[in-house]
Amino acid sequence: MASPGAPRASSAAPGSLKVTGQILSILLFNFLGYLTVGLPMAVLPGYVHNELGYGSVLAGLVISIQYLATLLSRSHAGRMSDSVGPRKTVLVGLAACAASGVFLLMAYAFERSPTVSLIALLVGRLVLGFGESWVGTGGLTWGIGKVGAAHTGRVISWSGICTYGALAIGAPLGVVLQTHLSMGAVGAAVLGVGLFGIALAAPRAPVAVVGGARMAFKHVMAQVLPHGLSLGLASVGFGSIATFITLYYASFQWDGAALALSVFGCAFIGARLLLANTIPRFGGFRVAICSIAVEVLGLLCLWLAPLPGFALAGAALTGFGFSLVFPALGVEAVARVPAGNRGAALGAYSVFLDLSLGITGPVVGLAVASYGYASIFLLAALASLLSIGIIVLLLKAARRAGPA
């Protein structure tokens, strides 16, 4: 086995359409799962505030409680993938996603009783958070089992494309359904997508469950801890843009905040499509260092931008740089544990992304009152530089260890 920091040979040609087709045939379920996440994402805060009459705090809670459920269930999803198989894990996740649509329908049905409606929404968001964990972790483990561990980086890269593509499609589609029909239509769409995913996944052949001893989750977490810390620090930039770019533009009285988000997303997906094969060629640590360096450059452009055009370029560079961080470090994290613990490792590793996105808003936002919105991106750049420092130490340790 190659050392964690070394490039890995692929069992197929890097551009193999056959391997890509096999990966996408499994990650279709990730796409459908995250489509159920995206459909209500943009409409729920306004619905809670305008239709149910609650304040901004509860409107925000309805969104954030899903991330809490996802965070709490990552380890269980990983364990389930390793023990009973990723196909069954994905099926349970899709069932939870479909069930969240039922709770959206209940919330709409009891709209004239705001308390009952709000409770239905909160329960539905918790169920959706669990479903997201099971579909996301199970789909990744299923994909790796389908094409082999040599293609782990490609599976993770394509998973990100499917995830962000589903969110990009689902959010505006949910707005259209709610605007022209009702919240009930959004709930019906979520239910339908979940059931459609189950119908497609149920007849699929499972991959063999990898045998071997199962590590305690705390030991798996210890193995991926430095990789996860690096991921979390590098994710502060993404969280800052997702949370504050609209207010940042407004503070300068600029137009085009939505365009900045679109440019970020397009650059993110473009880098995944163009450069995913650099991970097995050069090794995850090297790719992560170069990627985060580009991200830092983009965040500094946002911090110092004198005109919206510079900010747009900064958003593009940040998206392009951040794109490969998760798969590059994920390859190295998964390589730290035996094959039978792959799902647990992916679950533990993903926890750090959940944590980063969950706490970036309130923590980084403390700087706004004293230093303004632009300072957020300087702090994010400093966090990314710290992430590079951790990865350099990991790479040096891998070189000292030599071939395993």
Side-chain angles (χ1 to χ4, degrees), residues 192-253:
V193 170
L195 293 176
F196 178 64
I198 292 171
L200 291 179
R204 296 296 302 272
V207 294
V209 175
V210 180
R214 308 296 181 195
M215 298 171 62
F217 187 74
K218 63 181 180 180
H219 296 313
V220 176
M221 179 65 78
Q223 290 295 318
V224 306
L225 178 62
H227 308 74
L229 286 175
S230 298
L231 171 67
L233 289 166
S235 301
V236 173
F238 169 51
S240 297
I241 288 178
T243 306
F244 294 109
I245 193 68
T246 302
L247 297 173
Y248 167 72
Y249 265 65
S251 70
F252 290 105
Q253 298 183 330

Side-chain angles (χ1 to χ4, degrees), residues 25 47 65 87 96 121 147 152 161 167 180 197 199 245 280-281 291 303-305 316 340 343 361 371 374 404:
S25 72
Y47 182 77
I65 198 171
R87 174 181 161 275
L121 287 178
V147 300
T152 296
I161 293 171
L167 295 177
H180 295 284
I245 193 68
R281 183 178 179 185
S291 297
W303 172 47
L304 298 171
Y371 303 105

Side-chain angles (χ1 to χ4, degrees), residues 72-297:
L72 293 176
S73 59
R74 284 288 190 187
S75 62
H76 302 291
R79 279 283 172 242
M80 186 174 182
S81 294
D82 290 331
S83 59
V84 305
R87 174 181 161 275
K88 290 183 179 179
T89 305
V90 168
L91 283 170
V92 171
L94 288 170
C97 292
S100 73
V102 175
F103 284 102
L104 280 174
L105 288 169
M106 290 176 59
Y108 175 67
F110 290 96
E111 192 175 82
R112 294 186 179 180
S113 301
T115 301
V116 177
S117 181
L118 180 65
I119 292 172
L121 287 178
L122 290 171
V123 174
R125 296 296 288 174
L126 286 170
V127 172
L128 183 59
F130 290 122
E132 179 188 346
S133 281
W134 285 319
V135 172
T137 305
L140 279 171
T141 310
W142 194 356
I144 295 170
K146 180 77 172 178
V147 300
H151 298 289
T152 296
R154 294 178 68 183
V155 174
I156 297 176
S157 293
W158 276 107
S159 176
I161 293 171
C162 292
T163 297
Y164 285 93
L167 295 177
I169 293 171
L173 179 58
V175 172
V176 170
L177 289 173
Q178 200 264 347
T179 300
H180 295 284
L181 296 173
S182 66
M183 180 59 73
V186 178
V190 170
L191 174 61
V193 170
L195 293 176
F196 178 64
I198 292 171
L200 291 179
R204 296 296 302 272
V207 294
V209 175
V210 180
R214 308 296 181 195
M215 298 171 62
F217 187 74
K218 63 181 180 180
H219 296 313
V220 176
M221 179 65 78
Q223 290 295 318
V224 306
L225 178 62
H227 308 74
L229 286 175
S230 298
L231 171 67
L233 289 166
S235 301
V236 173
F238 169 51
S240 297
I241 288 178
T243 306
F244 294 109
I245 193 68
T246 302
L247 297 173
Y248 167 72
Y249 265 65
S251 70
F252 290 105
Q253 298 183 330
W254 292 343
D255 295 323
L259 178 60
L261 287 170
S262 298
V263 166
F264 176 94
C266 289
F268 181 98
I269 292 174
R272 287 274 176 107
L273 290 172
L274 294 173
L275 301 176
N277 290 325
T278 60
I279 298 173
R281 183 178 179 185
F282 299 107
F285 290 141
R286 295 177 181 86
V287 172
I289 290 170
C290 294
S291 297
I292 299 174
V294 174
E295 181 186 1
V296 169
L297 181 60

